[in-house]
Amino acid sequence: MADKPHQNLAIIGHVDHGKSTLVGRLLFETGSVPEHVIEQYREEAEEKGKGGFEFAYVMDNLAEERERGLTIDIAHQEFDTDEYYFTIVDTPGHRDFVKNMITGASQADNAVLVVAADDGVQPQTQEHVFLSRTLGIGELIIAVNKMDLVDYDEDRFEEVRDEVEQLLGRVRFSAADTSFIPISAFEGDNISDRSDETSWYDGPTLLDALNDLPEVEPPTDAPLRVPIQDVYTISGIGTVPVGRVETGVLEVNTTVSFQPSDAAGEVKSVEMHHEEVPRANPGDNVGFNVRGIGKDDIRRGDVCGPAEEPPTVAETFQAQVVVMQHPSVITAGYTPVFHAHTAQVACTIESIDTKLDPASGDVKEENPDFIKSGDAAVVTIRPQKPLSIEPSSEIPELGSFAIRDMGQTIAAGKVLSVTE
Ligand code: GDP
């Protein structure tokens, strides 16, 4: 697996349209359900007198696990195709998809949008497509699922395809090079092999479309940025910050700066998977020893960068936000907690500058009094404590954030510009 290029894949779409089932199906058909899980299910099937092992039995177990609140959690949800090695990032509904997508371990490169053939486009289909646009997801593959429930009817497939094409057009995703695939996650149609049930269809299977995704170039040429997750003191070594390299290359014998704590020191060693390495690349989780700083000089939420090109600390910043769920209205002065990379900082929305059409991004209103669920807007934000954040056009990995309040993600956004 490891020698294939890597992709982070999101499975998005309306609740109950079949995202978890599709994940189970993909893991199963690519042989990625771990052996011990298969073994366990096989034994259980035999005990219950259900001879043989089949996909439905895996899915039943996954459904039970979900009912027990565990959600689908077989191994790490990783699978590989001929071309790529995929990690599935949190799917919507699982814990907090949006927040994880922005601040979590992995931002999605591309996504599969699941739309049930019987239901068609639903509110969350729309919301997730808007969010994909805001968060900069590369390509969408459209899986029209549950084709078995509509008798594999071509006309119904075309209707759903038209609905989705309209939606994509509104957010300026080009529908021209988007694959629309009629599938049944449950029955396994058009996942790895072309199905006899859809003889009218001559396009790619889902695995073909996944193989055809463009390769993701790791952002090694961008300046180094490592959001810090933790800081340790290790006896005999010294201060060891830990984090994931988002962009650039972390190398020994270079001088790095931590912002907003404003501390600097020389990288003496870099460790990854308990082994010393001379350098670390984007995506690598590392601990690194820095000479010249103490444990209390830096903290979680700092960003490490080259001393000559240190991470930006924002006095204020302007951002484009999408309000997903807020029980009332958002006005200037509102001060919720912003989650950006590993930082959590209360920030005040100083002004709501323009209200946008959430689909096209066109300006709808200047200086509106408030915004509410479903709205998109450009706002000016003042962090209540120093916060390191970057314009998304320069370093997308450090240019997005989630706004949390009342225990849920109420909005997501990307940084347009920063005033230092
Ligand atoms: P999620 O909420 O999007 O993750 O949806 P689930 O994967 O939990 O599926 C919701 C329901 O639809 C479950 O009862 C699944 O068994 C069913 N389902 C999913 N895919 C298919 C399909 O291709 N055909 C049929 N008939 N049912 C499906």
Side-chain angles (χ1 to χ4, degrees):
M1 276 201 193
D3 51 2
K4 292 178 188 171
H6 183 243
Q7 295 252 1
N8 285 324
L9 187 71
I11 311 286
I12 59 178
H14 196 71
V15 62
D16 278 347
H17 279 199
K19 297 176 294 293
S20 309
T21 309
L22 181 60
V23 171
R25 171 61 70 180
L26 282 168
L27 296 180
F28 186 71
E29 294 214 5
T30 56
S32 312
V33 181
E35 198 51 47
H36 73 271
V37 175
I38 293 193
E39 207 41 58
Q40 180 195 331
Y41 289 165
R42 191 176 279 142
E43 279 169 19
E44 286 174 13
E46 275 169 14
E47 275 170 26
K48 290 181 187 169
K50 298 183 186 175
F53 169 74
E54 47 176 348
F55 176 71
Y57 194 72
V58 180
M59 296 319 299
D60 285 352
N61 278 275
L62 293 178
E64 269 172 36
E65 283 178 17
R66 203 155 54 233
E67 275 159 25
R68 295 203 304 262
L70 297 173
T71 75
I72 163 172
D73 196 17
I74 39 182
H76 301 294
Q77 303 196 21
E78 292 172 335
F79 64 97
D80 66 331
T81 62
D82 291 344
E83 297 295 327
Y84 293 116
Y85 164 55
F86 287 93
T87 302
I88 297 186
V89 305
D90 271 350
T91 55
H94 292 171
R95 285 152 292 167
D96 197 334
F97 157 71
V98 176
K99 181 183 153 233
N100 286 343
M101 220 166 126
I102 298 165
T103 61
S106 39
Q107 196 173 343
D109 300 308
N110 298 294
V112 176
L113 173 67
V114 179
V115 188
D118 53 342
D119 263 5
V121 168
Q122 293 295 315
Q124 284 171 322
T125 318
Q126 209 159 347
E127 180 183 282
H128 293 158
V129 168
F130 289 165
L131 274 174
S132 306
R133 198 72 179 122
T134 304
L135 299 177
I137 283 189
E139 292 204 7
L140 289 182
I141 295 170
I142 317 299
V144 179
N145 189 33
K146 306 196 186 183
M147 284 302 296
D148 55 302
L149 291 185
V150 297
D151 296 329
Y152 300 97
D153 181 47
E154 181 177 11
D155 291 340
R156 181 59 196 152
F157 171 72
E158 291 298 338
E159 274 169 29
V160 175
R161 181 196 178 108
D162 286 349
E163 283 178 25
V164 177
E165 271 183 356
Q166 278 179 23
L167 178 61
L168 296 184
R170 289 174 56 202
V171 296
R172 298 177 183 157
F173 257 118
S174 99
D177 38 52
T178 301
S179 298
F180 289 79
I181 310 169
I183 68 162
S184 167
F186 202 83
E187 301 292 340
D189 297 297
N190 293 325
I191 306 292
S192 44
D193 294 310
R194 196 80 75 61
S195 169
D196 293 339
E197 303 285 355
T198 51
S199 50
W200 43 267
Y201 175 73
D202 61 2
T205 62
L206 184 57
L207 288 185
D208 291 338
L210 289 170
N211 276 324
D212 283 347
L213 285 170
E215 197 168 322
V216 182
E217 290 291 332
T220 41
D221 291 341
L224 171 71
R225 294 293 185 259
V226 190
I228 303 306
Q229 272 150 15
D230 269 308
V231 186
Y232 299 99
T233 307
I234 297 179
S235 63
I237 298 183
T239 303
V240 178
V242 168
R244 192 171 84 123
V245 180
E246 290 292 345
T247 57
V249 179
L250 177 68
E251 276 181 292
V252 294
N253 298 327
T254 55
T255 304
V256 289
S257 157
F258 294 81
Q259 300 294 343
S261 284
D262 202 23
E266 196 186 355
V267 179
K268 294 317 291 175
S269 62
V270 179
E271 215 181 77
M272 185 163 74
H273 304 305
H274 307 290
E275 263 176 52
E276 235 178 82
V277 292
R279 71 183 61 76
N281 295 307
D284 292 344
N285 286 297
V286 293
F288 52 110
N289 169 232
V290 184
R291 186 158 68 194
I293 58 168
K295 183 178 190 297
D296 296 331
D297 294 338
I298 58 174
R299 57 190 54 83
R300 180 185 169 90
D302 275 343
V303 179
C304 167
E308 66 276 13
E309 206 173 346
T312 311
V313 180
E315 183 80 27
T316 62
F317 60 97
Q318 204 177 39
Q320 183 175 330
V321 297
V322 178
V323 185
M324 290 171 310
Q325 41 186 353
H326 193 280
S328 56
V329 297
I330 293 175
T331 55
Y334 180 47
T335 306
V337 176
F338 279 52
H339 293 238
H341 54 86
T342 56
Q344 295 182 19
V345 173
C347 299
T348 302
I349 297 184
E350 274 202 331
S351 58
I352 304 174
D353 306 326
T354 46
K355 192 154 124 182
L356 308 172
D357 182 314
S360 65
D362 295 341
V363 174
K364 266 176 37 184
E365 190 183 340
E366 298 284 349
N367 303 309
D369 292 334
F370 62 87
I371 47 175
K372 57 179 175 25
S373 296
D375 286 345
V378 173
V379 297
T380 301
I381 294 153
R382 181 178 295 273
Q384 295 299 307
K385 279 188 191 165
L387 169 66
S388 180
I389 201 162
E390 313 269 350
S392 136
S393 57
E394 287 170 27
I395 307 186
E397 290 79 0
L398 290 189
S400 54
F401 55 84
I403 303 177
R404 305 258 308 164
D405 197 4
M406 299 164 288
Q408 58 184 6
T409 300
I410 55 162
K414 66 176 174 192
V415 180
L416 301 174
S417 62
V418 172
T419 311
E420 293 180 55

